[in-house]
Amino acid sequence: MCDVPALRFPEFTGEWKEERLDEIAELSKGVGISKEQLSEDGEPCILYGELYTKYKSEIIHKVISKTNIESSNLKHSKRNDVIIPCSGETAIDIAVARCVPFDNILLGGDLNIIRLHKDDGAFMAYQLNGKRKIDIAKLAQGVSVVHLYGDNIKAIKTYNPCLQEQQKIVKLLSMLDERMELQNKIIEKLETLIKGIVDSIFTANEFPKVPFKEIYVRAGEGGTPATSNPEYYDNGTIPFIKIDDLQNKYIKTNKDCITELGLQKSSAWIVPANSIIYSNGATIGAISINLFPVCTKQGILGVVPKADINVEFLYYFMTSTAFTKAVERIVTEGTMRTAYLKDINHIPCPVPCSVKQDEIAKLLSTLSEKLENEVIFQMKLQKQKEFLLSQMFR
C-alpha cells in the first residue's frame, strides 16, 4: 500500500497499491515494420516513430497507418495494450506511453508492449507519461540515440487505485485531451486562413513594385563579439538576438545581452524598435518585429523600413510564399546556406499607398492576434493537464 495523491475524487477512499510493472503486466516487443512497407490499404499498424509525431494524446483513437505485408509472424495488439518506444533522441523524451484500445493492430519493431492483466491501459499511459516519466528516463541507455527495453522497465514501480477510480481519472483527462485536440484544429485553421489571405494578397499583382533595397533606410547583418572575452557579455544591457528569439511575430523579450564594449568590438549594430528582424543564414526565413532596440548575431538581418512603409505590411509580405520562393532562388549554398542582402535587394516588393498598406496590416494583424490568443489558451490547457498529472498520481 502507499500514500494517496493530493487530488482525488471524493467517493474513493481506498489506498493505492504499489506494484512493479512486471507484476501487473506481460512485457514484450513489437516486430519490425519499416516506413517503406506502409501502404494505402492493408492492416492497420503503428510504428514507434509515430508515437512522437502522429499520436499526441495518451489514447490512440484512430490508427493512421496501414501495411499489406504478410502479418502472421507480426505482433498483434490486444485491446488495452500500452506501448512505449524502445528508441528515442533523449532519455526524458522516451517515456511516450500510448494506450491502444483496439485488437489486432500490428505493432512494429522498437515498441515495448505492456499487456496489463487487469488495470486500465489509458490510466497506465497517463501515469507513465506523468509521475513515472523521470523513473523511465533514468533507465534509458545510450548517448546520441537512447534505448529502453522490457528488461529495463520491468521493475518500474506503479501506483494503482481500484479499476473504477482508474476509469474515472481517465474520463477526466481524456475530456481535457479532446478539448486540446479541438484547440489544435482551431489553431491550424487560423494558420491556414492567414497564410491563404497573405498569399492571395501578394500574388494578385495589383500593386506597383519596387526593388527591396528601396523600401528601407538601413539594413544589414549583425555580428557576434568574441565569446572568449567576458567583457563583451558580463552584465551586458544591449539585447542580443539569436535565431531562438525569432519564434513569434513580435520580439517582446530576449535571452542574451552584450555590453557596450562588445558592440564596439564587433560588426553588431543597434536596430531601432519596430524594424524587421530576418534570418538570412542557416535557418532562412525566421522573422519577427522587434518592439525595442536590439542588435543581432551574424546571419540575422535588421531591416529598418522607410517612413512610408508600414512595418506590419512588410512583415506579412516577407512571410508570403511569393517572397519565400524569391529568396530561395537566390540562396547561396556552402558551409552555411545564405541569402545575401545584395541579392535580396533585387527582389520586387509590392508597395501600395499608405492607406492600403494600413488596411492590409490591420486585417492580418487582427487575425494574428486571434491566433496568438488561441495559442495562449492551448498553453493554458497543457499547463492544466500537467498539473492534473502531477496531482492525480502518486
Side-chain angles (χ1 to χ4, degrees):
M1 300 297 178
C2 68
D3 295 336
V4 297
L7 189 63
R8 199 175 187 195
F9 293 106
E11 65 266 36
F12 298 102
T13 57
E15 293 185 337
W16 289 34
K17 292 182 181 179
E18 178 184 301
E19 300 168 302
R20 282 169 47 118
L21 202 54
D22 62 352
E23 294 174 341
I24 60 171
E26 171 193 334
L27 305 179
S28 61
K29 189 176 181 293
V31 178
I33 304 171
S34 68
K35 288 190 289 186
E36 290 72 24
Q37 292 173 314
L38 298 180
S39 57
E40 293 185 1
D41 55 10
E43 296 184 66
C45 62
I46 299 173
L47 277 62
Y48 89 96
E50 294 176 337
L51 270 62
Y52 298 108
T53 59
K54 294 183 179 181
Y55 303 113
K56 299 296 186 180
S57 61
E58 278 74 6
I59 305 171
I60 296 176
H61 295 288
K62 180 181 180 181
V63 178
I64 298 169
S65 299
K66 294 180 180 180
T67 183
N68 54 22
I69 64 174
E70 167 57 39
S71 64
S72 58
N73 293 322
L74 299 183
K75 191 75 175 183
H76 292 71
S77 72
K78 184 178 178 181
R79 184 188 302 267
N80 202 49
D81 280 350
V82 178
I83 53 178
I84 301 179
C86 295
S87 302
E89 293 185 0
T90 66
I92 195 64
D93 290 335
I94 203 168
V96 182
R98 300 289 181 256
C99 176
V100 184
F102 311 107
D103 291 321
N104 294 317
I105 306 299
L106 299 178
L107 302 177
D110 254 10
L111 277 175
N112 288 300
I113 304 169
I114 303 169
R115 185 155 293 170
L116 295 157
H117 300 321
K118 60 178 182 177
D119 292 291
D120 187 280
F123 173 86
M124 190 59 59
Y126 281 116
Q127 180 176 178
L128 295 177
N129 284 343
K131 285 285 192 175
R132 309 281 80 79
K133 194 174 185 73
I134 298 299
D135 298 337
I136 294 173
K138 291 177 181 177
L139 299 172
Q141 303 171 353
V143 182
S144 57
V145 176
V146 296
H147 301 284
L148 185 73
Y149 299 113
D151 282 343
N152 302 125
I153 63 174
K154 65 183 182 182
I156 288 287
K157 291 180 180 179
T158 65
Y159 300 86
N160 308 306
C162 68
L163 184 60
Q164 290 77 14
E165 187 171 0
Q166 291 182 29
Q167 292 170 339
K168 188 151 188 177
I169 290 172
V170 167
K171 184 177 181 180
L172 172 63
L173 292 172
S174 61
M175 286 174 61
L176 184 55
D177 279 335
E178 289 172 9
R179 181 62 185 87
M180 291 171 66
E181 185 177 350
L182 174 61
Q183 190 64 18
N184 278 330
K185 291 179 180 178
I186 292 171
I187 291 169
E188 289 170 4
K189 287 184 180 298
L190 267 173
E191 289 174 336
T192 300
L193 175 62
I194 293 170
K195 183 65 176 172
I197 294 174
V198 167
D199 287 343
S200 66
I201 288 172
F202 294 113
T203 56
N205 292 318
E206 60 181 84
F207 306 128
K209 291 183 172 62
V210 300
F212 188 82
K213 64 183 178 182
E214 294 185 18
I215 66 171
Y216 61 80
V217 293
R218 183 179 179 183
E221 291 187 33
T224 302
T227 56
S228 58
N229 191 335
E231 292 184 341
Y232 298 161
Y233 294 92
D234 289 353
N235 301 313
T237 58
I238 303 171
F240 184 61
I241 300 303
K242 299 179 180 178
I243 190 67
D244 289 345
D245 296 306
L246 305 181
Q247 301 296 320
N248 300 301
K249 179 181 176 182
Y250 298 111
I251 298 176
K252 298 178 181 179
T253 60
N254 65 285
K255 299 175 183 176
D256 302 294
C257 289
I258 62 173
T259 63
E260 191 68 41
L261 182 62
L263 180 68
Q264 295 171 9
K265 296 296 183 178
S266 70
S267 57
W269 58 286
I270 299 294
V271 184
N274 296 312
S275 298
I276 295 292
I277 309 297
Y278 180 82
S279 173
N280 66 318
T283 306
I284 297 173
I287 183 171
S288 296
I289 298 172
N290 58 312
L291 298 184
F292 50 88
V294 302
C295 60
T296 75
K297 69 185 292 292
Q298 69 275 16
I300 299 180
L301 289 170
V303 180
V304 186
K306 287 183 176 179
D308 61 347
I309 300 295
N310 184 309
V311 67
E312 303 266 345
F313 173 85
L314 180 57
Y315 168 86
Y316 287 110
F317 168 64
M318 292 179 69
T319 65
S320 70
T321 299
F323 185 80
T324 301
K325 287 184 176 180
V327 169
E328 192 61 32
R329 286 193 290 268
I330 54 94
V331 166
T332 299
E333 302 288 346
T335 306
M336 182 175 72
R337 299 178 77 247
T338 304
Y340 291 105
L341 179 61
K342 64 180 179 62
D343 299 316
I344 295 176
N345 277 336
H346 300 292
I347 294 176
C349 302
V351 183
C353 68
S354 296
V355 173
K356 192 65 177 178
Q357 287 184 45
D358 293 345
E359 288 177 358
I360 292 171
K362 183 177 180 180
L363 167 65
L364 295 172
S365 294
T366 300
L367 290 171
S368 291
E369 184 177 348
K370 168 68 173 170
L371 174 60
E372 182 180 3
N373 289 336
E374 297 294 348
V375 170
I376 290 172
F377 183 61
Q378 176 72 322
M379 293 169 63
K380 289 180 178 179
L381 289 173
Q382 181 61 40
K383 290 287 185 183
Q384 185 178 27
K385 179 179 177 180
E386 291 171 3
F387 173 78
L388 290 174
L389 287 175
S390 69
Q391 298 297 310
M392 298 192 77
F393 293 89
R394 161 68 162 79

